[in-house]
Amino acid sequence: MTDFVTGKDVKIVASIDSDPLLQARIAKMLGADILEIRLDLLEIKEAVQAKKLFDLLDKQGGLSRIATNRVHFEGGNWQGQEGQRITLLEDLIPYVDMIDIERKSTDCLRNRLVEEAKSQGTKVIMSSHFFESTPPLKEMVAILNECTDKGADIAKLAVMPQKPEDILELFHAALQAKGEVCVIAMGELGRHSRVVACRYGSLLTYGCVEKPVAPGQIRIDQLKIALETIV
């Protein structure tokens, strides 16, 4: 189990959304530290599919893994029932280093998943996405703290800034949060946040292998070079 949560150096996460074995190899070559396996974008609906993929990744010397199965309202492409989505993540806990679950997921299912992950020593990212706006500072701090209170090892908050001040507010929220965080300002205006957020306590930054998976994502090698200039 990789202990990257307690480390203070920012880790580069490669979002894997297609041709996973090839993307994983390229991501490692480009300098990624962690693979985010986007089950929803890869159209993986059964645990057996994911386990076969993980076995192949292990054989090619894979990186640490995050399992993400994103719902539509958080920018994902999951097509099934909520219970099925959570159960798939639950079945994959022994095969990954972290799971990503949305703050707004059904309470009882989210809590069950978090408890199971904790019992098996797998870390939890609890995420919130705002694709149209940036909440006020107090609300962002409250969201991050709520995730920590609900069992998150890393509280992840991604927002869409409308003005530069929104990005500064996001960084203030990261500094005021009581737990470990990952904060991202999406889109072109917030693109630089994927590099400099680490200066404000953000532990993870997400990059792409080819096309961006989220607005404003930077290719991994470019992200690594930019980080090396400031970290």
Side-chain angles (χ1 to χ4, degrees):
M1 187 63 63
T2 305
D3 194 20
F4 56 79
V5 173
T6 56
K8 292 304 179 184
D9 292 336
V10 63
K11 303 298 182 184
I12 299 175
V13 181
S15 297
I16 305 300
D17 66 329
S18 65
D19 201 348
L21 293 177
L22 176 61
Q23 282 200 356
R25 285 198 297 270
I26 296 173
K28 187 174 182 179
M29 289 171 52
L30 294 178
D33 301 297
I34 304 164
L35 303 177
E36 181 193 33
I37 306 301
R38 286 293 302 266
L39 302 168
D40 57 307
L41 298 179
L42 294 169
E43 298 185 355
I44 293 175
K45 296 184 178 181
E46 302 292 339
V48 65
Q49 294 175 271
K51 291 174 185 176
K52 287 180 180 178
L53 171 59
F54 294 159
D55 285 342
L56 292 172
L57 288 172
D58 287 339
K59 288 177 182 178
Q60 70 176 34
L63 301 172
S64 301
R65 294 190 289 255
I66 300 169
T68 300
N69 200 9
R70 192 73 74 216
V71 289
H72 278 283
F73 66 82
E74 295 272 0
N77 192 47
W78 173 253
Q79 303 293 331
Q81 298 295 318
E82 177 70 351
Q84 182 188 5
R85 183 177 78 91
I86 300 299
T87 297
L88 176 55
L89 284 171
E90 203 168 38
D91 289 343
L92 297 179
I93 287 172
Y95 304 93
V96 297
D97 297 274
M98 299 191 82
I99 55 165
D100 183 313
I101 183 64
E102 297 81 4
R103 176 179 64 100
K104 290 185 177 180
S105 298
T106 305
D107 285 347
C108 61
L109 294 175
R110 183 198 60 239
N111 294 343
R112 188 187 78 192
L113 179 66
V114 171
E115 288 178 10
E116 185 60 31
K118 298 287 187 182
S119 72
Q120 297 191 42
T122 298
K123 304 296 186 181
V124 175
I125 299 171
M126 196 171 294
S127 54
S128 299
H129 299 81
F130 293 81
F131 291 98
E132 303 296 332
S133 63
T134 300
L137 173 60
K138 287 184 179 180
E139 183 178 344
M140 289 193 286
V141 174
I143 288 169
L144 292 170
N145 288 342
E146 177 189 345
C147 292
T148 299
D149 290 341
K150 288 179 176 178
D153 294 288
I154 297 180
K156 179 185 174 186
L157 176 59
V159 304
M160 184 65 75
Q162 303 301 312
K163 55 188 184 302
E165 290 83 355
D166 289 342
I167 304 168
L168 296 177
E169 294 274 89
L170 177 66
F171 292 160
H172 278 299
L175 290 171
Q176 293 180 34
K178 61 184 178 182
E180 305 285 19
V181 302
C182 168
V183 296
I184 301 164
M186 297 183 287
E188 286 305 309
L189 181 59
R191 190 174 170 86
H192 69 286
S193 74
R194 297 179 181 274
V195 179
V196 301
C198 62
R199 288 297 193 186
Y200 301 88
S202 189
L203 292 182
L204 305 175
T205 185
Y206 288 68
C208 58
V209 176
E210 296 178 288
K211 65 182 186 300
V213 175
Q217 266 191 357
I218 302 170
R219 204 174 67 193
I220 294 161
D221 54 338
Q222 297 171 341
L223 188 56
K224 186 176 180 64
I225 290 169
L227 284 166
E228 287 174 346
T229 67
I230 67 168
V231 175

